[in-house]
Amino acid sequence: MNKQEKRGLSTSTFDLTKGKHQVPTCSLLRSLKTMAAPCVDVERLTRALNEPLSELGFECHPLKIGWYNKVLPSSLHLHYHDDTVAVVVLSMPAMFERAFLPFMETNRCQGLSDPVDQCVKHCISTTIAQCFPGQKVEVSYDFEMLPSRKPKFLAQTAAHVSGAAFYYQQSDVTEPPWGNKKRFGVCVHPRFGGWFAIRALLVFEGVEVGAELQKPSSPDCVPSRDARIRLLDDFNLRWQDWSYRDAVPSAQTYSQKQRDYFSTPPAQRPSLLRTWGFLHDQDSKDGLLGPQHDGLGAANGHGVI
């Protein structure tokens, strides 16, 4: 993989009607605008995102906005037509080495926001700009909040309805043993267990699809009552030891370097990055990498780091 691939760059656009790479003069915007809703090829749209992003450790899953809205109260609905096409983007364990560390090496990290958030935003926005030039794509990141302090989207709900992961909640446990105690839910990936994060929701405004896009089944990989109780207890009571991530065998887990980074309190991560040679001392002194979230976000349904 060359440096251009590592940085999430692409030099071609995609024609969804033909499923081929096209030279930049063949704009995907023109294809999307001229296609009637039933003709949109969601598989090729998703592939257009997956081809560059998978090289960086991301995974993309399509959904309809109606699937998401159907399982939520109206106060949490996304205000698009039910058949509007959206894509939820997940990061896999490989993202840290394939995208984040190269991102830090290029010295792109700046400002007050979290370095991982900056990396994710760079990878996704660059891919959209180069694969979908001119197409209106509304991107909501897992770290973004509305003025009401509610999340812009419920990440775990989006992952569940897309079939990317299964969102286990108290309601999924028969005869729950907790009484009046609250247990926040958590998503489990069929291949990576809890070793992943839900990063963004991409809404393709004005792009709709009909019955040819069928809702997939969410992958129930923790089927027993006892295992679900243990999963929710591990997530709510012992999330720092990461045991909930091993609810199912994982194809890959975080590297030791990645574990060291995410185990470090957010306020101390700039210091760790400096020991790795990525930040200048002045950056921390000037507060350029100030308060950073820890990515847990259990209460608002967000994915976890």
Side-chain angles (χ1 to χ4, degrees):
M1 183 169 53
N2 59 36
K3 291 182 179 178
Q4 193 176 47
E5 288 173 325
K6 286 183 178 180
R7 295 172 188 172
L9 302 181
S10 171
T11 57
S12 60
T13 56
F14 292 79
D15 183 337
L16 302 188
T17 62
K18 299 178 181 179
K20 299 178 181 178
H21 281 78
Q22 300 291 321
V23 295
T25 54
C26 182
S27 173
L28 181 57
L29 171 63
R30 185 164 60 254
S31 299
L32 291 174
K33 283 189 173 181
T34 57
M35 286 190 290
C39 297
V40 174
D41 192 328
V42 177
E43 180 181 352
R44 291 190 174 120
L45 183 152
T46 308
R47 188 187 308 143
L49 289 166
N50 258 327
E51 286 186 356
L53 287 176
S54 63
E55 294 290 336
L56 300 167
F58 295 92
E59 186 177 277
C60 303
H61 295 265
L63 65 144
K64 290 184 182 181
I65 291 297
W67 302 348
Y68 175 93
N69 286 344
K70 185 177 181 179
V71 299
L72 294 171
S74 58
S75 61
L76 296 174
H77 283 186
L78 299 177
H79 299 295
Y80 301 95
H81 189 279
D82 280 353
D83 287 336
T84 300
V85 175
V87 174
V88 63
V89 181
L90 283 55
S91 64
M92 303 298 104
M95 185 276 291
F96 194 80
E97 278 75 21
R98 291 186 184 180
F100 179 63
L101 295 183
F103 176 80
M104 297 303 298
E105 288 172 358
T106 61
N107 294 317
R108 285 194 175 97
C109 185
Q110 55 186 300
L112 291 173
S113 60
D114 178 86
V116 171
D117 292 345
Q118 291 189 47
C119 170
V120 169
K121 190 170 185 177
H122 169 75
C123 293
I124 293 176
S125 62
T126 299
T127 298
I128 291 172
Q130 297 194 350
C131 291
F132 302 93
Q135 168 63 33
K136 177 64 174 176
V137 182
E138 181 67 30
V139 184
S140 298
Y141 293 98
D142 69 301
F143 54 85
E144 292 182 321
M145 307 293 285
L146 298 170
S148 64
R149 302 307 299 163
K150 292 181 180 179
K152 290 187 71 174
F153 79 107
L154 296 184
Q156 298 200 110
T157 298
H160 182 86
V161 299
S162 74
F166 197 106
Y167 184 20
Y168 292 97
Q169 304 177 75
Q170 279 184 264
S171 57
D172 295 308
V173 176
T174 57
E175 299 180 1
W178 302 293
N180 294 326
K181 295 180 180 179
K182 174 70 175 177
R183 289 291 185 267
F184 293 114
V186 62
C187 270
V188 176
H189 191 281
R191 292 184 59 237
F192 297 103
W195 301 97
F196 77 106
I198 306 159
R199 298 295 183 180
L201 181 70
L202 285 51
V203 180
F204 287 77
E205 295 189 15
V207 178
E208 298 175 8
V209 66
E212 63 271 24
L213 180 61
Q214 293 294 308
K215 185 179 180 301
S217 298
S218 301
D220 184 4
C221 43
V222 186
S224 77
R225 176 179 181 270
D226 288 347
R228 292 180 180 184
I229 291 172
R230 184 166 58 253
L231 168 66
L232 294 180
D233 280 344
D234 285 347
F235 179 64
N236 283 266
L237 305 177
R238 297 174 287 275
W239 62 267
Q240 295 96 332
D241 69 12
W242 293 5
S243 57
Y244 75 90
R245 298 180 188 270
D246 293 319
V248 299
S250 177
Q252 184 182 11
T253 63
Y254 289 177
S255 65
Q256 187 58 54
K257 195 164 192 174
Q258 185 169 187
R259 294 180 192 221
D260 291 344
Y261 182 81
F262 288 126
S263 294
T264 301
Q268 298 175 23
R269 289 175 189 170
S271 297
L272 178 62
L273 289 171
R274 289 202 309 278
T275 68
W276 292 350
F278 292 139
L279 295 176
H280 299 296
D281 289 342
Q282 194 62 35
D283 292 339
S284 181
K285 291 177 182 178
D286 292 343
L288 293 179
L289 293 175
Q292 303 170 61
H293 69 78
D294 63 10
L296 186 61
N300 57 30
H302 277 201
V304 295
I305 281 181

